Amino acid sequence: MDFSYIFRSAKLIPENLEKTGFSKKTISTSGQGSELHSYTLRRDICGGDFYAVIELNQSEETLTAQVFDSETKEKYTLFDSPRSHGSFVASMREEVQNIIKEIRAACFASADLKEKYIAFLKERFGSEADFPWEDTPDFCVFRCENQKWFALIMKIKYRQLSLTGDEEVWVVDLKADSGEIESLIDRKSIFPAWHMNKKHWITVLLSAVTDFDRLCALTERSFNLVR
């Protein structure tokens, strides 16, 4: 089961992985001499009848979990099968989800940029949040003096950005030069626009993986394109 979406909302704290019980293996060394590693954690589940193997690849930014039978050491394929919905498999998945939550809390730094970003919008542009949609109370826009909006803040699910995971994340839609959009999109913190026209807008995560200074610069550009 893939939990790599966590890398989209939080920054890894590598020094905490071994403290949490992960074993480390060096997988590459950069030209500057810094090393990247893969990490593995084994945890018993279901009263010891099964065990979960959690694998984290620092280089590829992946986090996955597999389940094995403790007696036979064989992979328990029903854990990964989307067609398996029995109470036993559901309980097993919940145990693994709880392990992942522990790992996220101990080994990742989460930072919701939403409030910091809204403060920037108010201070820099003198713009207040406008909530124009009753059916989506989490959606708000910030407008220029001409009443056109240059920033649309929403809470959406990762899968709406073609990422795995049903967790929600705060994002902002910003206008961008149509000729630059392809080069801006990295599918880590900047994505093709969700909700808005993809030829003229981008979606940026308001999470720890986003560089705040770059976010502010993209917002300045959006404001100038709209006003």
Side-chain angles (χ1 to χ4, degrees), residues 43-56:
R43 288 278 188 89
D44 289 339
I45 60 174
C46 303
D49 292 333
F50 295 84
Y51 61 90
V53 175
I54 315 297
E55 295 183 340
L56 186 150

Side-chain angles (χ1 to χ4, degrees), residues 120 174 211-222 224:
F120 161 77
L174 300 170
D211 181 273
F212 191 75
D213 289 338
R214 190 182 189 199
L215 171 62
C216 293
L218 290 170
T219 305
E220 291 270 5
R221 184 58 179 154
S222 179
N224 290 326

Side-chain angles (χ1 to χ4, degrees), residues 24-38:
K24 179 173 70 173
K25 177 183 177 182
T26 301
I27 55 176
S28 66
T29 303
S30 71
Q32 289 73 34
S34 60
E35 294 181 339
L36 293 175
H37 306 93
S38 64

Side-chain angles (χ1 to χ4, degrees), residues 49-144:
D49 292 333
F50 295 84
Y51 61 90
V53 175
I54 315 297
E55 295 183 340
L56 186 150
N57 187 304
Q58 184 181 4
S59 176
E60 297 179 1
E61 295 190 340
T62 58
L63 180 65
T64 59
Q66 295 181 320
V67 170
F68 297 85
D69 186 296
S70 296
E71 183 175 352
T72 66
K73 312 300 181 186
E74 294 180 353
K75 183 179 177 181
Y76 189 69
T77 57
L78 292 180
F79 172 76
D80 289 310
S81 174
R83 296 184 179 181
S84 300
H85 300 292
S87 59
F88 177 73
V89 173
S91 176
M92 174 183 286
R93 288 173 180 160
E94 184 178 0
E95 281 197 61
V96 174
Q97 286 275 7
N98 288 336
I99 295 171
I100 296 297
K101 289 179 181 178
E102 291 176 18
I103 294 169
R104 181 171 186 168
C107 303
F108 286 83
S110 297
D112 185 343
L113 297 181
K114 180 195 170 195
E115 297 306 322
K116 181 180 179 180
Y117 182 60
I118 287 177
F120 161 77
L121 293 173
K122 291 179 178 179
E123 179 179 351
R124 175 65 183 86
F125 305 105
S127 182
E128 295 289 337
D130 179 17
F131 299 85
W133 300 288
E134 292 183 2
D135 58 335
T136 51
D138 287 331
F139 288 25
C140 66
V141 299
F142 288 80
R143 303 178 187 271
C144 299

